[in-house]
Amino acid sequence: MIQNKYDSQVRQKISSASSLKKWSYLSSSLVLALGILTTTAQAETTGAEDYRAPAVVDASAPIAALSKLTSIDNAEPLKVTVPTIQQFKTKAGVPVKFVKTTALPIVDIDLRFNAGSARDGSINKDGFGIANMTATMLGQGTTSLDENAFTRAVETLGINLSSSAYKDMFIVSLRSLSDDEHLLPAVDLMTQMVSEPTFNDDVLVRNKARLLVGLQQQKQDPNSLASIAFNNALYGNHPYAHPSVGTLESVPTIQKQQLLDFKHRYLVAANASIAMTGNLTLVQAKRLAEEITTKLPTGQAAAELPEPTPLTTAQHIHIPFPSTQTTVLMGQLGSKRAIDAVAQQQQTNFAVGNEIMAGSDFNARLMTEVRQNLGYTYGISGSMSPMLARGPYQIGFSTRNDKARAAIDASLGVINKTLEKGVTQDEMRLTTDNLKNSFPMGFASNAGINGLLGMMNFYQLPNNYLADYTNRIDQVTLVEVNQTMRDTLKPDDFLIVTVGQDDPWKDKPVNK
């Protein structure tokens, strides 16, 4: 589904059974920030050369093989059965969404708090990185088990137990075998993690030192530099402006008491939600949910985040960087997560249009023009990242230094032409068919289902959000897609960040 693209970064953190330990000095929040940009351009790998003479093909002749594919004639319309979602609340009032799956003896549990790095400033005005450090240290020792003992317990059970802080949310995730021998002690470790972390002073000093090394290394990554500059310029004084992992200036100031304050304020029942998927009965799911939340203090729900102020004029920011390529990140303030049906339809309309214009496949207009026709980059794409408050809309690519300005102008040209003339009926039909046919892949695994459940529960979306997805696709019209694109995107006011050796704006007129 379309929204899967916006939440795929979160789902990947929850789903990977092989990633048993997270990178101790750079949280996955940094990985999310880097993932917004496209990969730096690099040479494509080609297969072995074929020295046979090319065959002569009559392009006007029909493809003979198609006449023998009788299965195409008998193909029925796609029928999708979404997972059956069961919903309940714990005694502490924590909402739970549960899907029973029996194909594998596995259980995925996702405990989310409205407690991302956007809340850092409420603990300390310039305490950037507090949420991230709290997430890092939850699994580094509890009142019952020190760091080494806790790590041994996790490894002995063979479970995936981790915590991460993003802009909006704080996630503690567990994947375990579903038999009581593994699952019950795994849930006990998860409960200890959230309720009884020690935040050992020596471990905190070590974490800060490692994180500072990572932040220094970040200065050598043009994608990181572009992302940080983009968020700072786009959000200004808004809580989304600063990096979730913190800065070189803020990390040394993080203190144990701040981590305790963050935990006591935000890791509470009134601020939590649970998603659970796997080989369990509803009775078992309810029992586990009670065990996970019973020790959580009641607390209070987090305050609503303020809405950021959109930029009203274009901004061009260049960061000098010794490289043969220039990294480009352009965009604007986007939308917040849609809750009601009307807003969800609008986001679906935009997502269809954006997939046509800036999708990551080779049929997208930006990819066709900037990569294939002009040869400026190996990859260019753009996406919307809706959050509790308005998230960013970003388009990213890398190109040769001497082609940076031409590539930027060409990209803006494609966007303006799309807004002016609109997408076509054929493009829309191809895109909507692709989105509907790929929709079931979003819940093809336990982890995929649980990621969707977690997202829906966190944003308080109804259970029919999944069931109504194909209906929203079917209700898309060409007029509404084009109008929504025009209403949403303002390329004349784009923020454009470049990181490279030469300033693309220096002594070069803007092409209108």
Side-chain angles (χ1 to χ4, degrees):
M1 69 183 269
I2 295 169
Q3 299 298 342
N4 292 354
K5 297 189 176 195
Y6 301 147
D7 297 282
S8 61
Q9 296 156 330
V10 175
R11 293 202 309 274
Q12 288 170 0
K13 285 302 299 176
I14 301 172
S15 65
S16 175
S18 62
S19 57
L20 294 178
K21 295 181 180 178
K22 74 175 189 173
W23 195 9
S24 62
Y25 59 89
L26 276 181
S27 83
S28 58
S29 305
L30 176 57
V31 179
L32 280 177
L34 302 183
I36 295 170
L37 294 171
T38 54
T39 304
T40 302
Q42 54 186 315
E44 291 182 308
T45 303
T46 58
E49 295 184 11
D50 188 346
Y51 293 100
R52 294 174 295 177
V56 178
V57 178
D58 181 359
S60 64
I63 302 175
L66 290 181
S67 64
K68 300 183 182 299
L69 295 177
T70 56
S71 59
I72 295 179
D73 299 329
N74 299 325
E76 297 181 357
L78 177 68
K79 294 182 180 180
V80 178
T81 301
V82 300
T84 300
I85 301 174
Q86 301 182 76
Q87 186 169 311
F88 58 92
K89 285 188 176 182
T90 68
K91 294 177 181 178
V94 177
V96 182
K97 289 186 186 293
F98 166 62
V99 168
K100 179 179 180 179
T101 62
T102 58
L104 295 172
I106 291 175
V107 172
D108 286 287
I109 301 175
D110 176 3
L111 174 62
R112 300 193 186 200
F113 298 93
N114 184 346
S117 62
R119 309 295 177 176
D120 288 345
S122 66
I123 303 300
N124 182 32
K125 182 175 181 295
D126 298 315
F128 309 141
I130 291 176
N132 173 71
M133 187 61 72
T134 303
T136 299
M137 296 194 67
L138 284 190
Q140 293 181 317
T142 68
T143 55
S144 302
L145 299 169
D146 64 19
E147 182 182 19
N148 290 332
F150 191 91
T151 300
R152 281 196 302 270
V154 169
E155 293 179 344
T156 299
L157 290 170
I159 61 176
N160 183 347
L161 180 58
S162 62
S163 53
S164 305
Y166 303 91
K167 294 283 189 186
D168 271 345
M169 60 186 75
F170 190 107
I171 304 178
V172 181
S173 60
L174 168 67
R175 163 168 278 203
S176 170
L177 291 174
S178 57
D179 60 277
D180 288 349
E181 183 179 355
H182 290 85
L183 183 57
L184 296 183
V187 169
D188 180 62
L189 289 176
M190 184 182 193
T191 303
Q192 286 187 45
M193 226 176 119
V194 177
S195 303
E196 306 170 11
T198 55
F199 300 124
N200 180 273
D201 288 312
D202 292 336
V203 176
L204 176 58
V205 170
R206 184 190 71 202
N207 286 343
K208 291 197 290 186
R210 288 179 173 176
L211 182 52
L212 289 172
V213 171
L215 291 172
Q216 287 287 356
Q217 293 174 340
Q218 192 178 39
K219 291 184 175 182
Q220 304 306 312
D221 177 29
N223 287 339
S224 295
L225 295 175
S227 181
I228 292 171
F230 186 94
N231 285 327
N232 282 336
L234 184 66
Y235 286 105
N237 295 323
H238 190 272
Y240 286 168
H242 67 270
S244 293
V245 293
T247 66
L248 287 169
E249 295 74 27
S250 67
V251 168
T253 68
I254 296 176
Q255 303 297 322
K256 174 179 178 178
Q257 187 58 49
Q258 295 171 347
L259 307 184
L260 289 169
D261 290 344
F262 186 91
K263 172 194 172 299
H264 295 324
R265 171 67 184 87
Y266 292 109
L267 304 190
V268 297
N271 214 30
S273 62
I274 294 178
M276 198 176 302
T277 304
N279 189 23
L280 297 171
T281 65
L282 180 59
V283 172
Q284 290 174 311
K286 289 182 176 181
R287 185 173 67 246
L288 290 176
E290 290 295 342
E291 184 173 344
I292 292 169
T293 58
T294 188
K295 292 184 179 180
L296 289 179
T298 303
Q300 295 181 343
E304 185 175 351
L305 291 171
E307 285 298 335
T309 303
L311 300 177
T312 56
T313 58
Q315 289 190 30
H316 302 151
I317 299 173
H318 179 71
I319 301 174
F321 188 82
S323 173
T324 59
Q325 295 203 342
T326 296
T327 296
V328 180
L329 187 58
M330 63 172 69
Q332 62 173 66
L333 204 59
S335 59
K336 62 192 299 182
R337 175 65 60 178
I339 304 299
D340 63 89
V342 173
Q344 288 172 6
Q345 185 63 52
Q346 288 295 311
Q347 287 194 344
T348 301
N349 296 340
F350 177 82
V352 170
N354 186 68
E355 184 70 13
I356 295 168
M357 183 187 76
S360 58
D361 63 57
F362 291 104
N363 292 321
R365 291 186 173 189
L366 279 174
M367 189 78 85
T368 299
E369 179 65 13
V370 183
R371 180 194 189 278
Q372 181 177 325
N373 296 343
L374 298 175
Y376 289 151
T377 184
Y378 282 124
I380 177 171
S381 63
S383 62
M384 185 79 75
S385 300
M387 296 189 285
L388 284 174
R390 295 178 65 181
Y393 175 80
Q394 297 174 312
I395 295 173
F397 64 93
S398 294
T399 187
R400 276 170 38 187
N401 288 331
D402 61 332
K403 298 297 183 183
R405 182 55 184 275
I408 292 170
D409 289 344
S411 301
L412 292 173
V414 170
I415 298 169
N416 281 311
K417 182 177 180 180
T418 301
L419 298 182
E420 179 184 352
K421 297 187 176 180
V423 302
T424 67
Q425 187 71 42
D426 287 343
E427 288 176 313
M428 192 184 78
R429 185 177 64 254
L430 178 65
T431 300
T432 54
D433 286 348
N434 176 55
L435 291 171
K436 286 194 295 185
N437 290 335
S438 61
F439 172 49
M441 296 301 296
F443 43 85
S445 66
N446 278 21
I449 296 170
N450 210 55
L452 287 171
L453 293 183
M455 178 273 294
M456 291 168 59
N457 219 2
F458 181 82
Y459 291 111
Q460 300 179 17
L461 300 176
N463 288 348
N464 63 3
Y465 178 82
L466 288 182
D468 288 347
Y469 171 74
T470 55
N471 291 333
R472 291 196 295 273
I473 293 291
D474 289 334
Q475 291 172 13
V476 166
T477 68
L478 187 63
V479 171
E480 290 174 343
V481 166
N482 286 323
Q483 188 59 52
T484 303
M485 292 285 285
R486 295 186 188 103
D487 292 342
T488 303
L489 296 181
K490 307 298 178 185
D492 288 345
D493 297 334
F494 267 10
L495 166 65
I496 303 177
V497 176
T498 55
V499 181
Q501 183 169 298
D502 304 317
D503 185 351
W505 313 107
K506 188 176 182 180
D507 302 325
K508 297 177 183 178
V510 177
N511 294 331
K512 292 285 188 177

